[in-house]
Amino acid sequence: MLGAGVFAGLATLTRQAGAAVSGALVVWAALRPAALSVHPIKRRRAILAATLAAGVGLALAPWAIRNFVVFGQWMPLETTGGITFLMSNYEDATGRYLLSDWEAVHQRYLGTQPDEFARNALGYQLGVEHIKREPIRILKLVPMRLAYLFDLEGREHLWLYSLGYFGPRARAVVLATGWS
């Protein structure tokens, strides 16, 4: 379980959304049946959950310490979550995460901030303000976000096509995407 916790923590470091997975794993470990255990069930569940949580903590600790050293404040996860949140909820948001949006958001909103931590905090604040101003528009983006989340991006298509995974490329696909 310690190894599973470390892997869940590493996943959290690569994508902040992994925090939900890590939390779900700890809850699962605490609630799973332990019928084959020689220990009392509640004790076994607590040990499994604590071991899993310790693994997550081991993976997150170096990054949290780095953030504290650099910014003087505790931030156990990534320092760009607020920026990503703002990109998902500002007035020009489309539901898709585009690098051109990243540049526009930085220039428009975050360029005056002194460091990552300040940009992160301001990103969350402005994102919440945009949601309060336009809740219906933001809600309409949810289906688009889900569609983009489960859709392959261009680089995945390119990689899979280059391996011949989908078979020969249709002429329409080549012309539509500009791939040769």
Side-chain angles (χ1 to χ4, degrees), residues 130-164:
H130 284 291
I131 291 171
K132 287 178 180 177
R133 263 197 316 272
E134 300 182 73
I136 302 301
R137 189 179 99 50
I138 298 301
L139 281 174
K140 287 180 181 178
L141 292 176
V142 170
M144 294 299 296
R145 289 183 186 135
L146 290 172
Y148 289 133
L149 176 66
F150 293 107
D151 188 23
L152 291 175
E153 295 179 0
R155 65 178 180 259
E156 285 90 0
H157 278 123
L158 186 60
W159 182 72
L160 290 170
Y161 273 114
S162 71
L163 294 176

Coordinates of all heavy atoms in Angstrom, one line a residue, residues 130-164:
H130 N -15.1 35.5 -12.1 CA -15.7 35.3 -13.4 C -16.9 34.3 -13.3 O -17.9 34.5 -13.9 CB -14.7 34.8 -14.4 CG -13.8 35.8 -14.9 ND1 -14.2 36.8 -15.7 CD2 -12.4 36.0 -14.7 CE1 -13.1 37.6 -16.0 NE2 -12.1 37.1 -15.4
I131 N -16.8 33.3 -12.5 CA -17.9 32.3 -12.3 C -19.1 33.0 -11.7 O -20.2 32.8 -12.1 CB -17.4 31.2 -11.4 CG1 -16.4 30.3 -12.2 CG2 -18.6 30.3 -11.0 CD1 -15.8 29.2 -11.3
K132 N -18.9 33.9 -10.7 CA -20.0 34.6 -10.1 C -20.6 35.6 -11.1 O -21.9 35.8 -11.0 CB -19.5 35.4 -8.9 CG -19.1 34.5 -7.7 CD -18.6 35.4 -6.5 CE -18.3 34.5 -5.3 NZ -17.7 35.3 -4.2
R133 N -19.9 36.2 -11.9 CA -20.4 37.1 -12.9 C -21.2 36.4 -14.0 O -22.2 36.9 -14.5 CB -19.3 38.0 -13.6 CG -19.1 39.3 -12.9 CD -18.3 40.3 -13.8 NE -17.1 39.7 -14.4 CZ -15.9 39.6 -13.8 NH1 -15.7 40.1 -12.6 NH2 -14.9 39.1 -14.5
E134 N -20.7 35.3 -14.5 CA -21.3 34.6 -15.6 C -21.5 33.1 -15.3 O -20.9 32.2 -16.0 CB -20.4 34.7 -16.8 CG -20.1 36.1 -17.3 CD -19.3 36.1 -18.6 OE1 -19.8 35.8 -19.6 OE2 -18.1 36.5 -18.5
P135 N -22.3 32.7 -14.3 CA -22.4 31.3 -14.0 C -23.0 30.4 -15.1 O -22.6 29.3 -15.3 CB -23.3 31.3 -12.7 CG -24.1 32.6 -12.8 CD -23.1 33.6 -13.5
I136 N -24.0 31.0 -15.8 CA -24.6 30.2 -16.9 C -23.6 29.9 -18.0 O -23.5 28.7 -18.5 CB -25.8 30.9 -17.5 CG1 -26.9 31.2 -16.3 CG2 -26.5 30.1 -18.6 CD1 -27.4 29.9 -15.6
R137 N -22.8 30.9 -18.4 CA -21.8 30.7 -19.5 C -20.8 29.6 -19.0 O -20.4 28.8 -19.8 CB -21.1 32.0 -19.8 CG -20.3 31.9 -21.0 CD -19.6 33.2 -21.4 NE -18.2 33.4 -21.0 CZ -17.2 32.5 -21.2 NH1 -17.4 31.4 -21.7 NH2 -16.0 32.9 -20.8
I138 N -20.4 29.7 -17.8 CA -19.4 28.8 -17.3 C -20.0 27.4 -17.2 O -19.3 26.4 -17.6 CB -18.8 29.2 -15.9 CG1 -18.2 30.6 -16.0 CG2 -17.9 28.2 -15.3 CD1 -17.0 30.6 -16.9
L139 N -21.2 27.2 -16.8 CA -21.9 25.9 -16.8 C -22.0 25.3 -18.2 O -21.9 24.1 -18.4 CB -23.3 26.0 -16.1 CG -23.3 26.1 -14.6 CD1 -24.7 26.3 -14.1 CD2 -22.7 24.8 -14.0
K140 N -22.2 26.2 -19.2 CA -22.3 25.7 -20.6 C -21.0 25.1 -21.1 O -21.0 24.3 -22.0 CB -22.8 26.8 -21.5 CG -24.3 27.2 -21.3 CD -24.6 28.3 -22.3 CE -26.1 28.7 -22.1 NZ -26.5 29.8 -23.0
L141 N -19.9 25.5 -20.5 CA -18.6 25.0 -20.9 C -18.3 23.6 -20.3 O -17.4 22.9 -20.8 CB -17.5 25.9 -20.4 CG -17.4 27.3 -21.1 CD1 -16.3 28.1 -20.5 CD2 -17.2 27.1 -22.6
V142 N -19.1 23.2 -19.3 CA -18.8 21.9 -18.7 C -18.8 20.7 -19.7 O -17.9 19.9 -19.7 CB -19.7 21.6 -17.4 CG1 -19.6 20.2 -16.9 CG2 -19.4 22.6 -16.4
P143 N -19.9 20.6 -20.5 CA -19.9 19.5 -21.5 C -18.7 19.5 -22.4 O -18.1 18.5 -22.8 CB -21.2 19.6 -22.2 CG -22.0 20.5 -21.4 CD -21.1 21.4 -20.6
M144 N -18.3 20.7 -22.8 CA -17.1 20.9 -23.7 C -15.9 20.4 -23.0 O -15.0 19.7 -23.6 CB -17.0 22.3 -24.2 CG -18.1 22.8 -25.0 SD -18.3 21.9 -26.6 CE -16.7 22.2 -27.3
R145 N -15.7 20.8 -21.7 CA -14.5 20.4 -21.0 C -14.4 18.9 -20.9 O -13.4 18.3 -21.0 CB -14.5 21.0 -19.6 CG -14.3 22.5 -19.6 CD -14.2 23.0 -18.2 NE -14.1 24.5 -18.2 CZ -14.8 25.3 -17.5 NH1 -15.7 24.8 -16.6 NH2 -14.7 26.6 -17.6
L146 N -15.6 18.3 -20.6 CA -15.6 16.8 -20.5 C -15.3 16.2 -21.8 O -14.5 15.2 -21.9 CB -16.9 16.3 -20.0 CG -17.2 16.6 -18.5 CD1 -18.7 16.3 -18.2 CD2 -16.3 15.9 -17.6
A147 N -15.8 16.7 -22.9 CA -15.5 16.2 -24.2 C -14.0 16.3 -24.5 O -13.4 15.3 -25.0 CB -16.3 16.9 -25.3
Y148 N -13.4 17.4 -24.2 CA -12.0 17.6 -24.5 C -11.1 16.8 -23.6 O -10.1 16.3 -23.9 CB -11.6 19.1 -24.3 CG -12.1 20.0 -25.4 CD1 -12.7 21.2 -25.1 CD2 -12.0 19.7 -26.7 CE1 -13.2 22.0 -26.1 CE2 -12.5 20.5 -27.7 CZ -13.1 21.7 -27.4 OH -13.5 22.5 -28.4
L149 N -11.6 16.5 -22.3 CA -10.9 15.7 -21.4 C -10.7 14.3 -21.9 O -9.6 13.7 -21.8 CB -11.6 15.7 -20.0 CG -11.0 14.8 -19.0 CD1 -9.6 15.4 -18.5 CD2 -11.9 14.7 -17.8
F150 N -11.7 13.7 -22.5 CA -11.7 12.4 -22.9 C -11.3 12.2 -24.4 O -11.3 11.1 -25.0 CB -13.0 11.6 -22.6 CG -13.2 11.5 -21.2 CD1 -14.1 12.3 -20.5 CD2 -12.4 10.6 -20.4 CE1 -14.3 12.2 -19.1 CE2 -12.6 10.5 -19.1 CZ -13.6 11.3 -18.4
D151 N -11.0 13.3 -25.1 CA -10.7 13.3 -26.5 C -9.2 13.2 -26.6 O -8.4 13.7 -25.8 CB -11.2 14.6 -27.2 CG -11.0 14.6 -28.7 OD1 -10.9 13.5 -29.2 OD2 -11.0 15.7 -29.3
L152 N -8.7 12.6 -27.7 CA -7.3 12.6 -28.0 C -6.9 13.9 -28.5 O -7.6 14.5 -29.3 CB -6.9 11.5 -29.0 CG -7.1 10.1 -28.6 CD1 -6.8 9.1 -29.7 CD2 -6.1 9.7 -27.4
E153 N -5.7 14.4 -28.1 CA -5.2 15.7 -28.6 C -4.4 15.4 -29.9 O -4.1 14.2 -30.2 CB -4.3 16.3 -27.6 CG -5.0 16.7 -26.3 CD -4.1 17.3 -25.3 OE1 -2.9 17.4 -25.5 OE2 -4.6 17.7 -24.2
G154 N -4.1 16.4 -30.6 CA -3.4 16.3 -31.8 C -2.1 15.5 -31.7 O -1.8 14.7 -32.6
R155 N -1.3 15.7 -30.6 CA 0.0 15.0 -30.5 C -0.3 13.5 -30.4 O 0.5 12.7 -30.8 CB 0.8 15.5 -29.4 CG 0.2 15.4 -28.0 CD 1.2 15.9 -27.0 NE 0.6 15.8 -25.7 CZ 0.0 16.7 -25.0 NH1 -0.1 17.9 -25.5 NH2 -0.5 16.5 -23.8
E156 N -1.4 13.1 -29.7 CA -1.7 11.7 -29.5 C -2.1 11.1 -30.9 O -1.7 10.0 -31.2 CB -2.7 11.4 -28.5 CG -2.3 11.5 -27.1 CD -2.4 13.0 -26.5 OE1 -2.9 13.8 -27.3 OE2 -2.1 13.2 -25.4
H157 N -2.9 11.8 -31.6 CA -3.3 11.4 -33.0 C -2.1 11.2 -33.8 O -1.9 10.2 -34.5 CB -4.2 12.4 -33.6 CG -5.6 12.2 -33.2 ND1 -6.4 13.3 -32.7 CD2 -6.5 11.2 -33.2 CE1 -7.6 12.9 -32.4 NE2 -7.7 11.6 -32.7
L158 N -1.2 12.2 -33.8 CA 0.0 12.1 -34.6 C 0.9 10.9 -34.3 O 1.3 10.2 -35.1 CB 0.8 13.4 -34.5 CG 2.0 13.6 -35.3 CD1 1.6 13.6 -36.8 CD2 2.8 14.9 -35.0
W159 N 1.1 10.7 -33.0 CA 1.9 9.6 -32.5 C 1.2 8.2 -33.0 O 1.9 7.4 -33.5 CB 2.0 9.6 -31.0 CG 2.8 8.5 -30.5 CD1 4.2 8.4 -30.6 CD2 2.4 7.4 -29.7 NE1 4.6 7.2 -29.9 CE2 3.5 6.6 -29.4 CE3 1.1 7.0 -29.3 CZ2 3.4 5.5 -28.6 CZ3 1.1 5.8 -28.5 CH2 2.2 5.1 -28.2
L160 N -0.1 8.1 -32.7 CA -0.8 6.9 -33.1 C -0.8 6.6 -34.6 O -0.6 5.5 -35.1 CB -2.2 6.8 -32.5 CG -2.3 6.7 -31.0 CD1 -3.7 7.0 -30.5 CD2 -1.8 5.3 -30.5
Y161 N -1.0 7.7 -35.4 CA -1.0 7.6 -36.8 C 0.4 7.2 -37.3 O 0.6 6.4 -38.2 CB -1.5 8.8 -37.5 CG -3.0 8.9 -37.7 CD1 -3.7 9.8 -37.0 CD2 -3.6 8.0 -38.5 CE1 -5.1 9.9 -37.2 CE2 -5.0 8.0 -38.7 CZ -5.7 9.0 -38.0 OH -7.1 9.0 -38.2
S162 N 1.4 7.8 -36.7 CA 2.8 7.5 -37.1 C 3.2 6.1 -36.9 O 4.0 5.5 -37.6 CB 3.8 8.5 -36.4 OG 3.9 8.1 -35.1
L163 N 2.5 5.4 -35.9 CA 2.8 4.0 -35.7 C 1.9 3.1 -36.5 O 2.0 1.9 -36.4 CB 2.6 3.7 -34.2 CG 3.5 4.4 -33.2 CD1 3.1 4.1 -31.8 CD2 4.9 3.9 -33.5
G164 N 1.0 3.7 -37.3 CA 0.1 2.9 -38.1 C -1.1 2.3 -37.3 O -1.7 1.4 -37.7

